[in-house]
């Protein structure tokens, strides 16, 4: 249960509280069988002060104003982690026949402008693929930047971080992913946390089927290329033999299941589901199977064998061909082998969007640098967000870059990127930090002074502390820590405390003011893995 003082909200007017149950946190909210194998209906009575709006992940709700009491009822069985509550200074507007958006008053106009009309389009597309939406309403609530993940698929009421509002394409993908969970994860749930891919891999596949229907194959392939790039980046960091790269991960006693969530859960899971769809020859045949799968197992929890047995029974001709034992692509190997996916999707339909990215990256990284040709070859202001972040991620992978390259990149793009969304800006600022490019360091300070969410602070602090800029990081943290949630503050303190003595000597006088002396409180001995930036693993639940 996250309790926020008014200062940690956008409006700074009223306190705020929300819960985040995934994966095993709701045992601290109410007594429960905190396992996805157990599902039940629930009812709740919540008393709140006047002026605070209370919402829950429920199909029915009433409010007795004279008593200040809300009553909620979820009529369909759900696992404990999908029980969710939020209360604060929230107002709403209808954005479709079965959807409304909730947000703090100062954010509501933006939320309406971004989502009015299109959520129903996504729901309709999903229903055409996978059958009726069974939860009644699909509402969305935007939470303050302290929300610890990007989004959460609580039934009837998706939780999403407000920070994502400025990044249109990420907002689209994140909400469509949560829409897909209405079928895969909420209706049919993985029975064990060791098989989270059953929810996340299927939801990611369904998300991409929905985006293909609504935005076209090229956009879907671009987003997939961006995510698979991140998967391979994580693979290099973790190593191909790392057991967390298995789809069926072994959950050791005492380990929080959330620690097993990574891009393999999503993207390797997606690749396996995509492979199954290709065995059918036509994705529409696979859509028909998934509709039957949902109908058979809705409101229950399943294991991987349930899905695979159902698949082979639905396609007896594939069963006769023994596709589950095809050399090198055995189903058992997909589930239990470490390393990258055994097969990846054909993304050639996105080449019109990915080719310009590859060409521009090659121009900037080919020696000798022809900066005039590189600068004139593409106008980033006309690119999609996913094109720009794919380009910047590849520059990040190649960092540190030659000084001449980073200098010319800054001259060409830095001021242009200033006006773009935070998903783009944070990547450019990570390039600045990883290349110790002092002329743009003031932009890192300005960005951190205006960000309060994990997704836009942790990656920069990790990079600052990995390199030679720890004293700069200490100074910025000292000046901004009071605007951060205590949990986030503690995480940053852990990052800063690694190898705190001695601090590297850095002359940042050209871009900073004098650094105040600072003592870190609550130092912890547990090491944080700064090598794996959260930009690689910061995904929607």
């Amino acid at each position: 249960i996250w309790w926020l003082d008014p200062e940690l909200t956008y409006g700074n007017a009223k306190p705020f509280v929300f819960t985040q149950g995934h994966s095993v946190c709701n045992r601290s909210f109410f007594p429960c069988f905190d396992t996805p194998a157990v599902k039940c209906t629930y009812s709740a009575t919540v008393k709140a002060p006047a002026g605070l709006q209370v919402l829950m992940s429920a199909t029915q709700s009433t409010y007795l104003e004279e008593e200040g009491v809300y009553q909620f009822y979820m009529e369909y069985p759900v696992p404990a982690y999908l029980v969710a509550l939020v209360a604060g200074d929230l107002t709403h507007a209808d954005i479709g026949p079965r959807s409304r958006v909730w947000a703090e008053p100062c954010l509501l106009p933006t939320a309406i402008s971004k989502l009015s009309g299109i959520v129903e389009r996504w729901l309709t597309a999903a229903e055409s693929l996978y059958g009726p939406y069974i939860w009644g309403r699909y509402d969305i609530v935007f939470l303050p930047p302290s929300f610890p993940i990007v989004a959460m698929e609580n039934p009837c009421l998706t939780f999403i971080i407000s920070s994502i509002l400025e990044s249109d394409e990420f907002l689209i993908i994140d909400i469509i992913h949560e829409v897909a969970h209405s079928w895969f994860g909420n209706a049919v749930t993985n029975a064990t946390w060791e098989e989270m891919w059953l929810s996340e891999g299927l939801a990611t596949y369904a998300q991409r089927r929905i985006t293909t229907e609504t935005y076209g194959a090229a956009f879907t392939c671009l987003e997939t290329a961006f995510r698979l790039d991140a998967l391979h980046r994580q693979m290099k960091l973790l190593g191909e033999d790392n057991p967390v790269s298995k789809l069926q991960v072994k959950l050791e006693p005492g380990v929080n299941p959330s620690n097993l969530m990574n891009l393999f859960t999503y993207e390797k899971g997606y690749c396996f589901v995509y492979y199954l769809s290709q065995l059918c020859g036509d994705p529409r045949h696979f859509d028909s199977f998934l509709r039957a799968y949902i109908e058979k197992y809705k409101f229950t929890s399943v294991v991987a064998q349930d899905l695979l047995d159902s698949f082979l029974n639905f396609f007896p001709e594939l069963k006769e061909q023994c596709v589950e034992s095809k050399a090198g692509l055995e189903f058992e190997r997909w589930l239990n082998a470490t390393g990258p996916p055994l097969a990846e999707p054909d993304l050639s339909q996105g080449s019109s969007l990915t080719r310009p990215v590859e060409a521009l990256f090659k121009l900037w990284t080919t020696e000798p640098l022809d900066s005039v040709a590189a600068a004139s070859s593409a106008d980033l202001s006309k690119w999609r967000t996913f094109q720009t972040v794919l380009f910047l991620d590849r520059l990040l992978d190649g960092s540190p870059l030659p000084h001449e390259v980073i200098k010319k990149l800054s001259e060409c793009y830095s001021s242009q990127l200033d006006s773009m969304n935070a998903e783009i800006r944070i990547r450019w600022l990570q390039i600045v930090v990883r290349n110790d490019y002092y002329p743009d360091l003031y932009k890192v300070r300005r960005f951190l002074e205006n960000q309060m969410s994990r997704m836009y602070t942790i990656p920069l602090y990790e990079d600052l502390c990995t390199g030679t800029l720890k004293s700069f990081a200490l100074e910025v943290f000292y000046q901004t820590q009071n605007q951060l949630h205590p949990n986030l503050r503690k995480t940053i303190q852990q990052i800063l405390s690694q190898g705190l003595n001695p601090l590297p000597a850095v002359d940042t006088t050209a871009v900073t003011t004098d650094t105040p002396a600072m003592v870190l409180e609550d130092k912890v001995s547990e090491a944080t893995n700064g090598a794996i930036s959260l930009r690689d693993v910061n995904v929607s639940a």
Side-chain angles (χ1 to χ4, degrees), residues 135 153 176-188 199-200 203-204 206 266 540-541:
W135 302 98
E153 68 272 18
I176 291 178
H177 184 83
E178 307 314 318
V179 166
H181 268 309
S182 301
W183 286 262
F184 306 100
N186 294 4
V188 182
S199 290
E200 297 302 347
T204 301
Y266 294 78
S540 307

Short mmCIF file of all heavy atoms in Angstrom, two decimals, residues 135 153 176-188 199-200 203-204 206 266 540-541:
data_model
loop_
_atom_site.label_atom_id
_atom_site.label_comp_id
_atom_site.label_asym_id
_atom_site.label_seq_id
_atom_site.Cartn_x
_atom_site.Cartn_y
_atom_site.Cartn_z
N TRP A 135 -15.49 -8.14 -18.92
CA TRP A 135 -15.39 -7.44 -17.63
C TRP A 135 -16.33 -6.24 -17.51
O TRP A 135 -16.29 -5.54 -16.48
CB TRP A 135 -13.94 -6.99 -17.41
CG TRP A 135 -12.97 -8.14 -17.45
CD1 TRP A 135 -12.20 -8.53 -18.51
CD2 TRP A 135 -12.70 -9.07 -16.40
NE1 TRP A 135 -11.46 -9.63 -18.18
CE2 TRP A 135 -11.75 -10.00 -16.89
CE3 TRP A 135 -13.17 -9.21 -15.09
CZ2 TRP A 135 -11.25 -11.05 -16.12
CZ3 TRP A 135 -12.67 -10.26 -14.32
CH2 TRP A 135 -11.73 -11.16 -14.83
N GLU A 153 -2.64 -4.29 -15.17
CA GLU A 153 -3.88 -4.68 -15.83
C GLU A 153 -5.02 -5.00 -14.87
O GLU A 153 -5.79 -5.95 -15.12
CB GLU A 153 -3.61 -5.90 -16.72
CG GLU A 153 -3.26 -7.19 -15.98
CD GLU A 153 -1.80 -7.41 -15.68
OE1 GLU A 153 -1.04 -6.42 -15.72
OE2 GLU A 153 -1.41 -8.54 -15.37
N ILE A 176 -2.74 -0.80 -24.86
CA ILE A 176 -3.18 -1.97 -25.64
C ILE A 176 -2.68 -3.25 -24.99
O ILE A 176 -3.39 -4.27 -24.98
CB ILE A 176 -2.73 -1.84 -27.11
CG1 ILE A 176 -3.49 -0.71 -27.79
CG2 ILE A 176 -2.96 -3.16 -27.86
CD1 ILE A 176 -3.09 -0.47 -29.24
N HIS A 177 -1.48 -3.23 -24.43
CA HIS A 177 -0.98 -4.41 -23.72
C HIS A 177 -1.89 -4.76 -22.55
O HIS A 177 -2.21 -5.93 -22.33
CB HIS A 177 0.45 -4.15 -23.23
CG HIS A 177 1.08 -5.34 -22.56
ND1 HIS A 177 1.70 -6.35 -23.27
CD2 HIS A 177 1.18 -5.69 -21.26
CE1 HIS A 177 2.15 -7.27 -22.43
NE2 HIS A 177 1.85 -6.89 -21.20
N GLU A 178 -2.33 -3.75 -21.81
CA GLU A 178 -3.23 -4.00 -20.68
C GLU A 178 -4.60 -4.45 -21.15
O GLU A 178 -5.25 -5.29 -20.51
CB GLU A 178 -3.35 -2.75 -19.80
CG GLU A 178 -2.02 -2.15 -19.34
CD GLU A 178 -1.04 -3.18 -18.80
OE1 GLU A 178 -1.45 -4.09 -18.06
OE2 GLU A 178 0.15 -3.06 -19.13
N VAL A 179 -5.07 -3.91 -22.27
CA VAL A 179 -6.32 -4.40 -22.88
C VAL A 179 -6.20 -5.89 -23.18
O VAL A 179 -7.09 -6.69 -22.87
CB VAL A 179 -6.65 -3.61 -24.16
CG1 VAL A 179 -7.73 -4.32 -24.98
CG2 VAL A 179 -7.12 -2.19 -23.82
N ALA A 180 -5.06 -6.29 -23.76
CA ALA A 180 -4.85 -7.70 -24.11
C ALA A 180 -4.88 -8.59 -22.87
O ALA A 180 -5.34 -9.75 -22.94
CB ALA A 180 -3.52 -7.86 -24.85
N HIS A 181 -4.43 -8.07 -21.74
CA HIS A 181 -4.46 -8.85 -20.50
C HIS A 181 -5.89 -9.17 -20.06
O HIS A 181 -6.08 -10.10 -19.26
CB HIS A 181 -3.75 -8.08 -19.38
CG HIS A 181 -2.30 -8.40 -19.26
ND1 HIS A 181 -1.81 -9.68 -19.18
CD2 HIS A 181 -1.20 -7.57 -19.18
CE1 HIS A 181 -0.48 -9.65 -19.05
NE2 HIS A 181 -0.09 -8.39 -19.06
N SER A 182 -6.87 -8.44 -20.54
CA SER A 182 -8.25 -8.75 -20.17
C SER A 182 -8.61 -10.17 -20.57
O SER A 182 -9.45 -10.81 -19.93
CB SER A 182 -9.21 -7.75 -20.85
OG SER A 182 -8.90 -6.42 -20.47
N TRP A 183 -7.97 -10.66 -21.62
CA TRP A 183 -8.16 -12.04 -22.06
C TRP A 183 -7.04 -12.94 -21.49
O TRP A 183 -7.31 -13.98 -20.92
CB TRP A 183 -8.15 -12.12 -23.59
CG TRP A 183 -9.41 -11.59 -24.22
CD1 TRP A 183 -10.48 -12.33 -24.67
CD2 TRP A 183 -9.74 -10.22 -24.49
NE1 TRP A 183 -11.45 -11.51 -25.18
CE2 TRP A 183 -11.03 -10.20 -25.09
CE3 TRP A 183 -9.09 -9.00 -24.29
CZ2 TRP A 183 -11.65 -9.02 -25.50
CZ3 TRP A 183 -9.71 -7.82 -24.69
CH2 TRP A 183 -10.98 -7.84 -25.27
N PHE A 184 -5.79 -12.49 -21.67
CA PHE A 184 -4.63 -13.31 -21.34
C PHE A 184 -3.95 -12.78 -20.08
O PHE A 184 -3.22 -11.80 -20.11
CB PHE A 184 -3.65 -13.31 -22.52
CG PHE A 184 -4.31 -13.74 -23.81
CD1 PHE A 184 -4.70 -12.80 -24.75
CD2 PHE A 184 -4.58 -15.08 -24.05
CE1 PHE A 184 -5.33 -13.18 -25.93
CE2 PHE A 184 -5.21 -15.48 -25.22
CZ PHE A 184 -5.59 -14.53 -26.17
N GLY A 185 -4.25 -13.42 -18.96
CA GLY A 185 -3.73 -12.99 -17.67
C GLY A 185 -4.85 -12.79 -16.67
O GLY A 185 -4.79 -13.29 -15.54
N ASN A 186 -5.90 -12.08 -17.08
CA ASN A 186 -7.03 -11.84 -16.18
C ASN A 186 -8.10 -12.91 -16.31
O ASN A 186 -8.55 -13.48 -15.31
CB ASN A 186 -7.62 -10.45 -16.44
CG ASN A 186 -6.65 -9.33 -16.09
OD1 ASN A 186 -5.51 -9.58 -15.73
ND2 ASN A 186 -7.11 -8.09 -16.20
N ALA A 187 -8.54 -13.18 -17.54
CA ALA A 187 -9.54 -14.24 -17.74
C ALA A 187 -8.90 -15.62 -17.56
O ALA A 187 -9.42 -16.47 -16.85
CB ALA A 187 -10.17 -14.11 -19.12
N VAL A 188 -7.78 -15.83 -18.25
CA VAL A 188 -7.01 -17.07 -18.10
C VAL A 188 -5.64 -16.69 -17.54
O VAL A 188 -4.94 -15.86 -18.12
CB VAL A 188 -6.84 -17.81 -19.44
CG1 VAL A 188 -6.07 -19.11 -19.23
CG2 VAL A 188 -8.20 -18.08 -20.09
N SER A 199 0.95 -15.53 -19.33
CA SER A 199 0.19 -14.28 -19.37
C SER A 199 0.90 -13.24 -20.24
O SER A 199 0.29 -12.65 -21.14
CB SER A 199 0.00 -13.73 -17.95
OG SER A 199 -0.88 -14.53 -17.21
N GLU A 200 2.19 -13.04 -19.98
CA GLU A 200 2.89 -11.93 -20.65
C GLU A 200 3.21 -12.20 -22.11
O GLU A 200 3.11 -11.32 -22.95
CB GLU A 200 4.16 -11.58 -19.88
CG GLU A 200 3.92 -11.08 -18.46
CD GLU A 200 3.04 -9.84 -18.39
OE1 GLU A 200 2.79 -9.20 -19.43
OE2 GLU A 200 2.58 -9.51 -17.28
N ALA A 203 -0.15 -12.07 -23.92
CA ALA A 203 -0.65 -10.70 -23.96
C ALA A 203 0.16 -9.86 -24.96
O ALA A 203 -0.40 -9.01 -25.67
CB ALA A 203 -0.60 -10.07 -22.58
N THR A 204 1.47 -10.09 -25.01
CA THR A 204 2.30 -9.35 -25.97
C THR A 204 1.94 -9.74 -27.40
O THR A 204 1.86 -8.88 -28.29
CB THR A 204 3.79 -9.60 -25.69
OG1 THR A 204 4.09 -9.21 -24.35
CG2 THR A 204 4.68 -8.81 -26.65
N ALA A 206 -1.02 -10.87 -28.39
CA ALA A 206 -2.34 -10.28 -28.65
C ALA A 206 -2.23 -8.78 -28.86
O ALA A 206 -2.91 -8.21 -29.74
CB ALA A 206 -3.28 -10.59 -27.48
N TYR A 266 8.41 -11.60 -21.50
CA TYR A 266 7.59 -10.94 -22.51
C TYR A 266 7.99 -11.37 -23.93
O TYR A 266 7.19 -11.92 -24.68
CB TYR A 266 7.72 -9.43 -22.39
CG TYR A 266 7.15 -8.86 -21.12
CD1 TYR A 266 7.85 -8.94 -19.92
CD2 TYR A 266 5.91 -8.23 -21.11
CE1 TYR A 266 7.34 -8.43 -18.74
CE2 TYR A 266 5.39 -7.71 -19.93
CZ TYR A 266 6.10 -7.81 -18.76
OH TYR A 266 5.59 -7.31 -17.59
N SER A 540 5.56 -2.95 -18.82
CA SER A 540 4.26 -2.99 -18.14
C SER A 540 4.05 -4.36 -17.53
O SER A 540 4.47 -5.37 -18.06
CB SER A 540 3.14 -2.73 -19.16
OG SER A 540 3.38 -1.55 -19.87
N ALA A 541 3.39 -4.37 -16.39
CA ALA A 541 3.01 -5.67 -15.83
C ALA A 541 1.93 -6.30 -16.69
O ALA A 541 1.89 -7.49 -16.83
CB ALA A 541 2.53 -5.51 -14.39
#
